Amino acid sequence: HGTLYGDGVFEGIRVYNGRIFECDAHLRRLFDSARSIRLTIPQTPAELKAAIEQTFKANGFTDCYIRLVVTRGVGDLGLDPRRCAKASVFIIATALQLYPREMYENGMSVITASVIRNHPNVLSPRIKSLNYLNNILAKLEANDAGVPEAIMLNQDGNVAECTADNIFIARAGRIYTPTTTDGILEGITRQVVIDLCGRLSIPCVEKSLQR
């Protein structure tokens, strides 16, 4: 059902120095996403955490990217989720690097995509689902423009997020980021950045941002 209809949820998780980054927060969001689409995950959070650790250790990684995926499971060509008896779970470990190191040091060019984020009444942005065609269409626009990333707006024309990232703006000693009501995924790393700003006494403002 995941392949046929995008019926499932996932988490993208980092492992640093053999430690799973914000594991509890990622698993909590995974279970929240699954609950929102009435998908029962056949493992407990503790069992999934152990499976993540087993996966990256079996691959010989201490620093890597984990993709934890839960689909509705094996069924048939019918759309009805009741035809899937049990959810399927799989975990991928890879040494993923999204961008070259020099981009982190020197920055990158971006575009604003004409493709907007899904309306919240179509699919809640809080659900990290397997339905990423919306983002892929924006990524294609970025590819056509010869840049690595695109900023996506929401249905009101406000800044939402990038194709696979939350967005922050640093200006005049302040950090700005769209609000959770602007059609964004409530990113785990996004919250870490907000928390770090608080610890370092850097003003961080959540507000609607125009292009």
Side-chain angles (χ1 to χ4, degrees):
H1 237 234
T3 300
L4 291 172
Y5 303 111
D7 187 4
V9 295
F10 80 96
E11 284 292 319
I13 308 169
R14 291 282 184 171
V15 175
Y16 299 112
N17 197 28
R19 298 178 64 186
I20 305 170
F21 180 68
E22 293 289 316
C23 186
D24 291 344
H26 277 291
L27 291 176
R28 185 163 53 248
R29 185 172 65 182
L30 181 77
F31 276 81
D32 286 345
S33 293
R35 193 176 302 111
S36 295
I37 66 169
R38 305 187 196 181
L39 173 60
T40 300
I41 299 176
Q43 286 90 9
T44 67
E47 288 170 338
L48 285 178
K49 182 176 182 180
I52 293 171
E53 292 176 340
Q54 181 182 0
T55 302
F56 75 75
K57 289 176 181 177
N59 283 275
F61 288 127
T62 56
D63 295 86
C64 66
Y65 175 85
I66 294 288
R67 174 63 58 89
L68 170 58
V69 182
V70 185
T71 81
R72 188 76 62 178
V74 177
D76 57 25
L77 289 175
L79 192 68
D80 192 340
R82 293 175 298 181
R83 296 177 181 268
C84 303
K86 182 180 179 181
S88 298
V89 179
F90 60 92
I91 302 170
I92 303 168
T94 182
L96 176 69
Q97 182 174 355
L98 292 178
Y99 305 114
R101 177 179 290 275
E102 56 267 21
M103 282 191 177
Y104 291 95
E105 298 173 352
N106 302 323
M108 66 170 72
S109 297
V110 300
I111 63 165
T112 301
S114 65
V115 177
I116 67 168
R117 289 291 290 129
N118 287 326
H119 192 286
N121 287 342
V122 173
L123 180 65
S124 170
R126 290 181 174 85
I127 300 172
K128 197 170 178 69
S129 79
L130 301 183
N131 293 273
Y132 257 60
L133 188 58
N134 179 232
N135 306 61
I136 289 170
L137 292 174
K139 184 71 170 181
L140 286 171
E141 288 191 21
N143 292 344
D144 290 343
V147 299
E149 188 54 280
I151 296 170
M152 302 182 72
L153 308 179
N154 65 13
Q155 71 279 0
D156 297 319
N158 295 328
V159 174
E161 56 189 15
C162 297
T163 62
D165 326 276
N166 290 116
I167 185 168
F168 290 81
I169 295 172
R171 177 178 292 170
R174 288 177 176 265
I175 305 295
Y176 299 91
T177 193
T179 70
T180 56
T181 59
D182 281 312
I184 69 168
L185 177 72
E186 295 182 7
I188 304 300
T189 303
R190 173 185 181 273
Q191 189 58 52
V192 170
V193 171
I194 293 171
D195 292 343
L196 287 173
C197 285
R199 292 188 203 174
L200 298 172
S201 299
I202 300 172
C204 185
V205 181
E206 297 178 71
K207 61 178 294 187
S208 294
L209 303 170
Q210 282 71 50
R211 176 169 53 180

